[in-house]
Amino acid sequence: MGPGQFPPGVINLHELMEDASESPPPGQTGTPQNPMDTAICIFTSGTTGLPKAARISHLKTLMCCAFYQLCGARAEDVIYMSLPLYHKAGALLGVGGCIGIGASLVLKERFSASQFWSDCRKHNVTVFQYIGELCRYLTNLPQGKDETRHKVRLAAGSGLRPDVWRDFTRRFGNIRIFETYGLTEFNISFFNYTSTPGAVGRGTFLYKRFCPFELIRYDTQQGEPVRDGVGRCQRTSAGEAGLLIAPVTSASPFLGYVGSRELSEKKMLRDVFRPGDCFFNTGDLMMQDDLGFVYFRDRMGDTFR
């Protein structure tokens, strides 16, 4: 991204931008008319039914570029990316987030547990992005000489179980874990700024003003929310697992999926607390404790975990 001398074969985007024409681009490649227009489509894991192509807006792709900044990464960091680029975590949060802070990116074609720490040593990696199972694969490896001889200071990602969290930090050195939670198709997210093991974040009063959400009672046998005599859903108590939902509003819209309207409608809950309201159904069971920390409990639907 920046000026300077680079190894052979490295494309310097800064130089290309300096040499580019200042005339307006052709109409078909010009500026989007609306930031909420569809930029790309990304297949989801299918928490309700089979995988579907979710519409991702231009605005959301830009918002994802702030991911590493929120995690505490800096421009001088070297980020190791071994997640698939056909999904949001690798493409938008990983590559996009790296561009957002102007850091260096080490792009691995596919994840390899046996090569992970040697790669980190070779490329002076300081930050890597994970999904929960990735860290478990590392803790299952026999001990090696490179696993503590590295410069990694931050690991950011989603789905890290408490037992793996403890094993990872105890074994691989002083690495800060920054656990997050997010969805491909909707604007609800959590960030565990306090590094509380097992939590995905904290739903304080102030946080819920900017990113509102609710936990409602859910019947796992029937596969649907519990409703009272007048058809309204019931909020859970502290320490009780419930279905995570979030209001669909003009400020936080749900763009839906490619295909029939029924595909998108299955992700909506209506008349939840009052007639006419509408909430997005994440398909995830979460629990919030007395201190407001939110913990992932289970994923409903057809996704095998």
Side-chain angles (χ1 to χ4, degrees), residues 13-215:
L13 184 59
H14 182 85
E15 292 181 358
L16 293 179
M17 293 173 65
E18 289 293 322
D19 295 339
S21 171
E22 295 185 4
S23 60
Q28 66 271 22
T29 58
T31 303
Q33 297 300 310
N34 189 321
M36 298 308 298
D37 287 347
T38 301
I40 55 176
C41 296
I42 294 181
F43 271 86
T44 68
S45 57
T47 53
T48 54
L50 296 174
K52 299 173 284 292
R55 301 181 188 272
I56 310 299
S57 69
H58 291 277
L59 178 61
K60 187 163 186 175
T61 62
L62 293 176
M63 292 172 62
C64 288
C65 291
F67 174 72
Y68 277 125
Q69 184 176 9
L70 292 172
C71 294
R74 303 183 291 265
E76 57 268 26
D77 278 313
V78 178
I79 299 173
Y80 185 84
M81 170 58 58
S82 58
L83 303 182
L85 300 185
Y86 51 76
H87 198 36
K88 174 189 172 184
L92 300 187
L93 301 182
V95 177
C98 183
I99 293 174
I101 61 173
S104 299
L105 180 67
V106 177
L107 189 61
K108 184 76 170 179
E109 184 174 1
R110 60 177 58 86
F111 170 72
S112 170
S114 61
Q115 299 174 14
F116 185 86
W117 294 115
S118 60
D119 281 348
C120 289
R121 274 179 52 83
K122 176 181 178 181
H123 300 292
N124 294 317
V125 172
T126 58
V127 178
F128 75 88
Q129 189 175 339
Y130 67 85
I131 56 172
E133 295 302 277
L134 186 152
C135 294
R136 182 173 65 83
Y137 296 147
L138 295 177
T139 59
N140 285 344
L141 283 176
Q143 286 192 329
K145 61 181 181 180
D146 289 331
E147 64 181 40
T148 55
R149 297 163 55 194
H150 56 75
K151 297 181 180 179
V152 178
R153 65 174 185 87
L154 174 67
S158 301
L160 188 56
R161 298 200 308 261
D163 57 332
V164 179
W165 187 318
R166 289 189 292 268
D167 292 343
F168 186 92
T169 53
R170 185 165 48 237
R171 177 173 168 180
F172 298 121
N174 187 23
I175 301 175
R176 184 193 177 200
I177 301 294
F178 197 95
E179 176 76 1
T180 67
Y181 171 89
L183 296 167
T184 299
E185 62 268 58
F186 196 68
N187 298 326
I188 183 172
S189 58
F190 293 102
F191 292 88
N192 186 353
Y193 290 104
T194 58
S195 297
T196 303
V200 298
R202 195 176 187 186
T204 62
F205 171 81
L206 182 60
Y207 175 83
K208 293 187 73 172
R209 299 288 293 179
F210 294 96
C211 188
F213 70 92
E214 298 285 353
L215 295 178

